Amino acid sequence: MTTRVLGALQVAALLVSASYGIGFLFGSGEMALTHGMAGGLYGVATALGMLVLATFAGRLWKLGVPVWELFGRAFGPPIQRAVALLSLVWMSGVLAAQIAGGVAIAEVIGLPRELAQVLVLVLILGASRLDLRIASRVFAACLLASAVVLLYALADAGGLTLYAQSANLFVRDLGGFSPGRLVSSVLAVGLLVCLGADYHQFVLAARRPGAAAAGCALAAAVLIAVAFLPPALVLALQGTGRLDGLTDAKQVVPFALGSAAGGLWPGAQALLLAALSTAALGSGAAIVRAMASAMAAALPAARPMNHPVWSVAALAAGALLAARGQGIVETMVSVNVVYLASVGWLFLLLLRGASLPAVQAGMVMASGLAASSAVYVAGWVGWIDADADAASLAGGLAVSAIVGLICAAGRPRSLDVGGLRR
């Protein structure tokens, strides 16, 4: 049973810390180079997801289990295990973001790209074999240090006025996204916040239902404020011409933060880049461990949970996605879409209190996964030029819905899953 001791402020702080990472920081800055203040879309979508989570946080708290355990109650243990295994899809995207961020830092330091890629993969693999319970505090402290330097860099670049106008500029710059990409990005990020067990753990640890809901709402407010900091810094530096020498958009935030830290005292730039590297490696290692645990749990007879083969397999999946060369946020969105298209229809049935036999539920999920993955691969090889993520989400949901309707035809059943049915 989860220990329920957290107040609203503590819940909010933990939710923000779980959201603010290398993907958030570097990805928002990278997008700002091409989309202006709308580069903060990832942070805003995360905040919107927090607001939606706040609307049912109290009910989730009363149930006392993450939403994924409810899949097992409604559709059987095999579906619960399958959904847990599918979480490898979105975790691969998050891992790819950490890999890309680590490579970007290494390139800013001056390492050749090929060496940087190999070094980052080896270091993440090594870190994943360590006990991360104490080290996680170090990783969080490194991110906090980067946030302080980010504020200093923004003030030093004269970007505070720009930040004050960020909401208006954000709305204006959203026009740079196609409607399909905008909708798929918001849904892919926001819905994953609502369904993610990594966020639910903090909601379940709140003292009371009201503290859980208030913590989610407060986290949303903080994330909206933080979302515009990296784009504001990038836009301010663009106006001064300090970013003209960059060859990779992924390097913009580590370059900007390192340059700002270099003006504080001798050696501060190297220290800040080391802190950012530690945060990226630490986050990557934590994700590798989570992915390894999921694979070992799904295939218990294959290898022990701590066997290195699981870590290597997880790292290979993240490295493959990172090698695609997409933007950091786009990489996370594209695999989030595949995951959500796979489980989305079953989640809708769950919210309605409906149920299907495990075999039919598996067919629904598999059909969504197959359709969405097929569109994803088509986008990867270039057969779909634009809005591949929107097509992947719509296609997966449509196919799984058709299969779900066929399976449910003539079998109206309802199930009160821990009070979800109203």
Side-chain angles (χ1 to χ4, degrees):
M1 181 69 179
T2 302
T3 303
R4 295 180 161 178
V5 297
L6 302 180
L9 288 176
Q10 293 169 305
V11 171
L14 289 168
L15 288 172
V16 171
S17 67
S19 305
Y20 180 84
I22 293 297
F24 186 110
L25 186 61
F26 288 17
S28 298
E30 178 188 17
M31 286 181 63
L33 286 175
T34 53
H35 292 89
M37 197 61 74
L41 179 62
Y42 182 84
V44 172
T46 303
L48 292 175
M50 289 291 177
L51 287 176
V52 176
L53 180 59
T55 64
F56 66 90
R59 293 171 64 201
L60 185 63
W61 185 93
K62 291 176 182 177
L63 292 173
V65 296
V67 71
W68 298 125
E69 190 168 322
L70 301 178
F71 275 87
R73 298 183 185 181
F75 307 112
I79 298 303
Q80 182 175 341
R81 289 193 295 270
V83 170
L85 189 60
L86 271 174
S87 66
L88 294 171
V89 174
W90 70 262
M91 283 194 283
S92 296
V94 177
L95 177 57
Q98 312 310 311
I99 294 171
V103 171
I105 297 167
E107 289 183 305
V108 169
I109 294 173
L111 294 180
R113 184 170 187 81
E114 292 76 14
L115 177 59
Q117 290 172 331
V118 173
L119 181 62
V120 167
L121 293 176
V122 170
L123 290 176
I124 290 178
L125 181 61
S128 71
R129 308 301 296 172
L130 302 175
D131 185 346
L132 297 180
R133 287 177 294 181
I134 297 177
S136 62
R137 299 178 184 176
V138 177
F139 305 147
C142 291
L143 278 174
L144 179 61
S146 72
V148 173
V149 175
L150 176 61
L151 291 172
Y152 167 77
L154 183 61
D156 184 61
L160 292 178
T161 302
L162 189 65
Y163 176 76
Q165 303 169 350
S166 56
N168 291 332
L169 295 175
F170 174 77
V171 174
R172 182 200 68 184
D173 292 342
L174 282 178
F177 292 103
S178 67
R181 184 180 175 192
L182 180 61
V183 171
S184 61
S185 297
V186 172
L187 289 178
V189 176
L191 287 179
L192 198 61
V193 172
C194 297
L195 306 181
D198 48 343
Y199 294 107
H200 292 174
Q201 62 180 322
F202 306 127
V203 172
L204 297 177
R207 290 195 193 104
R208 296 179 301 277
C216 293
L218 181 57
V222 174
L223 286 169
I224 287 178
V226 172
F228 299 124
L229 289 174
L233 174 60
V234 171
L235 293 178
L237 291 177
Q238 266 188 319
T240 65
R242 296 186 214 177
L243 303 179
D244 293 344
L246 284 180
T247 58
D248 187 348
K250 295 180 179 67
Q251 300 174 14
V252 63
V253 169
F255 174 82
L257 295 182
S259 299
L264 295 175
W265 65 80
Q269 180 176 15
L271 186 62
L272 189 278
L273 290 175
L276 287 174
S277 300
T278 302
L281 296 175
S283 297
I287 297 164
V288 166
R289 287 166 65 96
M291 294 175 68
S293 296
M295 285 186 281
L299 303 168
R303 292 283 194 281
M305 185 173 293
N306 62 350
H307 198 282
V309 69
W310 303 123
S311 298
V312 172
L315 195 61
L320 182 63
L321 286 177
R324 183 180 175 184
Q326 278 185 304
I328 291 175
V329 171
E330 285 131 340
T331 297
M332 293 189 288
V333 166
S334 63
V335 290
N336 285 3
V337 158
V338 174
Y339 176 67
L340 293 170
S342 305
V343 304
W345 183 250
L346 289 185
F347 183 63
L348 180 61
L349 292 178
L350 180 64
L351 290 179
R352 297 186 60 188
S355 180
L356 286 174
V359 173
Q360 293 183 354
M363 292 171 58
V364 171
M365 190 165 56
S367 63
L369 174 63
S372 184
S373 298
V375 178
Y376 175 82
V377 172
W380 189 327
V381 299
W383 295 345
I384 300 177
D385 294 330
D387 293 338
D389 293 339
S392 178
L393 180 61
L397 289 176
V399 171
S400 62
I402 292 171
V403 174
L405 290 172
I406 293 173
C407 291
R411 303 179 47 94
R413 297 175 59 188
S414 64
L415 184 67
D416 188 354
V417 186
L420 273 178
R421 183 175 153 202
R422 292 179 291 177

